[in-house]
Amino acid sequence: MGRHLVIAAAQMGPIARTESRAAVVRRMIDLMRQAKALGAEVVAYPEATLTAFFPHWFTEDEDEVDAWFERDMPGPQTQPLFDEARRLGVGFHLGYCELDMSSGRKRRFNTSILVDASGRIIGKYRKIHLPGHSDHRPETPFQNLEKRYFEVGDLGFGAWQAWGGVAGMIICNDRRWPESYRVLGLQGADMIFCGYNTPVHHPAAPDHDRLGQFHNELSMQSGAYQNSAWVIGIAKAGMEEGVDMIAGSCIITPTGEIAARCSSAEDEVIVSRCDLDLGRSYRETTFNFARHRRTEHYQMIVERTGPTPP
Ligand code: ING
């Protein structure tokens, strides 16, 4: 009898700048109930689930920026989500914007957590690959100011024993970098959760737009296959404050196949009964790191800064 876990991806449609946390949490609870009714044991929400994706616009008003962040998790506005999860007996993944004061100064991170059915936070991750720019670019149709509003994550890529397996997290742009998955694969991750807010249009490279959904799936399918892990990609989707974002939330098997995919750009739940042993034959053969990886040789290549001179 394999280790099975029913995982749901709870895709969120657009969140308005003026939408209250309470209203968003009500939407999230509705999705959690739908997922539970479909047999879900774990419900995964997107990156920065609680608010509109504010890095898409510029502000210098520090109080306005701080209003997009959570000082406590759970806090008064997110406690109802934790309470409902406990009532339903489900665990969840949550992406949110974290304001941390523990070091005596204000630090802001693009963060995600794993929470078990009792409401205990199993693990926390802070986004490492921050795309975009820190300067205001008024000439572009929208901004991506993650480098302005967030610090680079300082927790590395962690993996934790959870739900009968090993779970890890990456966030959005992290999914485009193979290292993100590999560091988790080296820790034996069976499942990797990845929320994202991805505009259809890429102002810096508009010719990439037509391949946005393809690159989304290519990145996550590759990461899943090359590290023998389930990858759960969860979008904040649709036209949000004038920025159209891709949907395509999906649950990907360790073989690299898409087991379930959302069909809308709205609030939508998909579920998959995940066999956590499905990656075993790959980890023991094709991707047997101990037998086949040769990091000592990689190190030599990495030290080179360009092609071998003639
Ligand atoms: N968003 C986008 C992402 O990596 C992006 C930014 C889009 C970068 C397309 C490169 C190409 O999906 C976030 N929030 O990282």
Side-chain angles (χ1 to χ4, degrees), residues 41-85:
E41 298 168 86
V42 180
V43 183
Y45 294 104
E47 169 192 33
T49 308
L50 298 169
T51 66
F53 197 68
F54 60 90
H56 286 158
W57 58 81
F58 176 82
T59 180
E60 287 180 315
D61 180 332
E62 179 135 354
D63 291 338
E64 180 185 333
V65 172
D66 286 351
W68 298 114
F69 287 76
E70 311 304 318
R71 291 171 183 267
D72 301 300
M73 187 50 70
Q77 297 175 314
T78 47
Q79 189 60 52
L81 182 71
F82 281 68
D83 294 345
E84 184 68 6

Side-chain angles (χ1 to χ4, degrees), residues 79 82-83 85-87 89-92 115-122 163:
Q79 189 60 52
F82 281 68
D83 294 345
R86 193 179 301 111
R87 187 182 74 83
V90 300
F92 62 96
V115 185
D116 71 15
S118 74
R120 180 179 65 88
I121 294 177
I122 299 164
W163 306 304

Side-chain angles (χ1 to χ4, degrees), residues 47 53 127 131 144 146 172-173 175-176 197-199 202:
E47 169 192 33
F53 197 68
K127 185 174 181 178
N144 188 340
E146 295 188 64
C172 203
N173 195 258
R175 76 191 186 284
R176 301 180 191 279
N197 286 252
T198 300
H202 190 24

Side-chain angles (χ1 to χ4, degrees), residues 14 19 41 46 64 71 76 87 90-91 97 101 139 142 154 161 170 202 224 235 237 260 286 293 297:
E19 195 163 349
E41 298 168 86
E64 180 185 333
R71 291 171 183 267
R87 187 182 74 83
V90 300
C97 299
M101 298 295 290
E139 72 282 1
F142 56 89
D154 59 348
Q161 302 278 0
I170 61 178
H202 190 24
T286 307
R293 279 185 84 231
H297 293 285

Side-chain angles (χ1 to χ4, degrees), residues 100-107:
D100 174 62
M101 298 295 290
S102 62
S103 65
R105 70 175 179 83
K106 196 180 286 187
R107 302 181 70 203

Side-chain angles (χ1 to χ4, degrees), residues 47 53 55-56 110 127 129-132 144 146 150 171-177 195-203 205 208-209 212 215-216 245-246:
E47 169 192 33
F53 197 68
H56 286 158
N110 186 341
K127 185 174 181 178
H129 296 96
L130 298 174
N144 188 340
E146 295 188 64
F150 303 120
I171 299 177
C172 203
N173 195 258
D174 290 325
R175 76 191 186 284
R176 301 180 191 279
W177 303 91
Y196 58 88
N197 286 252
T198 300
V200 169
H201 175 53
H202 190 24
H208 298 183
D209 294 3
H215 288 155
N216 180 51
M245 293 196 282
I246 69 169

